[in-house]
Amino acid sequence: DTWNTGVLRGSFHQLKKLKAIYPEIKLLISVGGWTWSDKFSQMAMTQAGRATFIQSCIDIYIKGQFSSTLSSPGLFDGIDIDWEYPGAAGNTNNYSPEDTGNFTKLLSELRTALDTQGAIDGKQYLLTIAAPGGEAKFEKIEIGNIHAHLDFINLMTYDFHGAWGSTTNFHSALKGTTDDPTWSAKFWADNAIEAWLAGGVPPEKLVLGVPFYGRGWTGVSPGPNGDGLFQSGSGAAPGTYEAGMEDYKVLKDLIPTYNSYFHAEAEAFWIYDSASGIFWNFDDTASMTNKMNYIKANDLGGAMFWELSGDDAQGSLIEAIDTTLNN
């Protein structure tokens, strides 16, 4: 990077250089997220609001008009909308029952705008969403109406449980298990996949989300099975950046000193140390491989992970994903 005026710098410049090395890569800009979704409901409420937002996305990210003095088109190949969540509370309570229909309108209108710009540029731009894996939230989405406008639907099939709840559980279980005290909430990935498929989404458009981090509790008693599962905890396990959350690259080093377990019905991995009372649930390479085989068996579009820096220096989780999906 240079400090010259009128040139691309920072992360965007690094991404541009990455595309020069790997020209087949597709880069999308994700708009929203857990902390930046609070204005979606207000924006999508009117046609004028949606139009302003869409034109802004096209001008800045597709045309590359990053400022009045800086134009660098061709960096992004599409837009990802990460609205957490239409018609339901996320980080804030800024939502409305009207979000359900307005979300569909937003995606339809954004798809039209991307196609119009694509015709000018001789390019097919992608439109994707990050979508909830919890039934209470995706029931607020018109699944059957939105998928026609989308190239991929990236299901956030993680964070089903965490230290915000007092009982240890799996935050990214693949299947449901009848001994789960929260069984009725259907907090497992396969339920989300089946529901989105039942809503009419072609399987090749569904992308299974997997975590490169774990969720943990402290003050956990062994329980009747001695493994700490479905037991009360006194709080969140210590984490590097956030209590109750830790990267795989840190958690994998605990495996030799903790007891490791795999729930055959839930198809979920966890570790527990009875001496410290600490319980962590995360995907190791074996459970990650198992999820990739699930993707292949169901002819899904692929895998999405959050997020890259959680992997170890050897890229163990990336390797498990790549080796299995591309075998």
Side-chain angles (χ1 to χ4, degrees):
D1 284 5
T2 72
W3 288 102
N4 297 339
T5 58
V7 299
L8 201 61
R9 295 195 294 265
S11 297
F12 283 9
H13 185 215
Q14 297 305 309
L15 290 172
K16 187 173 183 178
K17 293 201 290 186
L18 182 69
K19 287 192 78 171
I21 300 171
Y22 303 103
E24 70 279 2
I25 199 170
K26 302 293 184 184
L27 297 179
L28 284 77
I29 184 78
S30 188
V31 183
W34 176 249
T35 53
W36 283 4
S37 287
D38 60 315
K39 300 297 191 295
F40 270 120
S41 181
Q42 179 184 351
M43 173 273 292
M45 195 69 69
T46 65
Q47 195 281 329
R50 296 190 300 271
T52 298
F53 171 79
I54 290 168
Q55 192 59 54
S56 177
C57 286
I58 297 295
D59 288 344
I60 297 173
Y61 299 122
I62 302 302
K63 294 182 179 180
Q65 296 173 356
F66 297 116
S67 76
S68 60
T69 59
L70 174 57
S71 177
S72 184
L75 176 58
F76 292 109
D77 301 289
I79 305 289
D80 176 77
I81 299 296
D82 185 3
W83 181 348
E84 302 184 28
Y85 302 94
N91 192 38
T92 71
N93 286 317
N94 293 343
Y95 68 95
S96 164
E98 295 177 314
D99 293 347
T100 297
N102 291 336
F103 186 44
T104 303
K105 293 176 184 177
L106 174 65
L107 296 179
S108 173
E109 293 162 12
L110 182 51
R111 174 76 274 165
T112 298
L114 287 170
D115 288 348
T116 299
Q117 188 61 42
I120 296 171
D121 299 339
K123 184 173 180 178
Q124 177 64 45
Y125 290 109
L126 298 171
L127 178 58
T128 68
I129 63 169
E135 192 164 291
K137 291 184 170 64
F138 64 64
E139 283 182 339
K140 308 292 186 181
I141 294 174
E142 295 176 337
I143 293 176
N145 293 334
I146 66 169
H147 70 81
H149 310 304
L150 300 171
D151 294 283
F152 294 107
I153 295 170
N154 300 306
L155 290 177
M156 296 181 285
T157 40
Y158 38 70
D159 293 340
F160 286 130
H161 294 281
W164 53 84
S166 61
T167 303
T168 61
N169 211 315
F170 305 122
H171 91 95
S172 186
L174 183 58
K175 302 285 183 66
T177 170
T178 51
D179 57 345
D180 183 352
T182 65
W183 167 267
S184 61
K186 301 179 181 178
F187 284 150
W188 58 87
D190 179 63
N191 178 70
I193 292 292
E194 291 298 324
W196 284 81
L197 288 172
V201 181
E204 64 270 16
K205 287 190 176 185
L206 282 178
V207 178
L208 182 73
V210 295
F212 279 17
Y213 63 94
R215 294 284 183 183
W217 290 256
T218 190
V220 179
S221 62
N225 297 321
D227 56 17
L229 182 61
F230 305 139
Q231 302 302 306
S232 296
S234 62
T240 302
Y241 308 108
E242 176 185 332
M245 181 179 181
E246 188 57 272
D247 288 338
Y248 166 78
K249 65 189 175 192
V250 176
L251 295 175
K252 75 160 196 174
D253 292 336
L254 299 179
I255 294 176
T257 59
Y258 281 53
N259 289 318
S260 298
Y261 305 91
F262 184 78
H263 198 294
E265 190 177 4
E267 300 186 31
F269 174 82
W270 78 100
I271 60 174
Y272 173 64
D273 177 50
S274 58
S276 64
I278 294 179
F279 175 106
W280 285 104
N281 163 235
F282 59 99
D283 281 319
D284 67 347
T285 54
S287 61
M288 187 65 75
T289 297
N290 186 58
K291 287 184 174 181
M292 297 307 107
N293 283 322
Y294 172 89
I295 289 171
K296 293 173 70 174
N298 289 277
D299 296 321
L300 304 182
M304 173 269 288
F305 54 85
W306 182 269
E307 48 89 10
L308 183 60
S309 69
D311 204 356
D312 61 20
Q314 294 73 41
S316 298
L317 295 181
I318 284 284
E319 180 70 18
I321 291 171
D322 177 57
T323 300
T324 311
L325 290 185
N326 293 309
N327 183 359

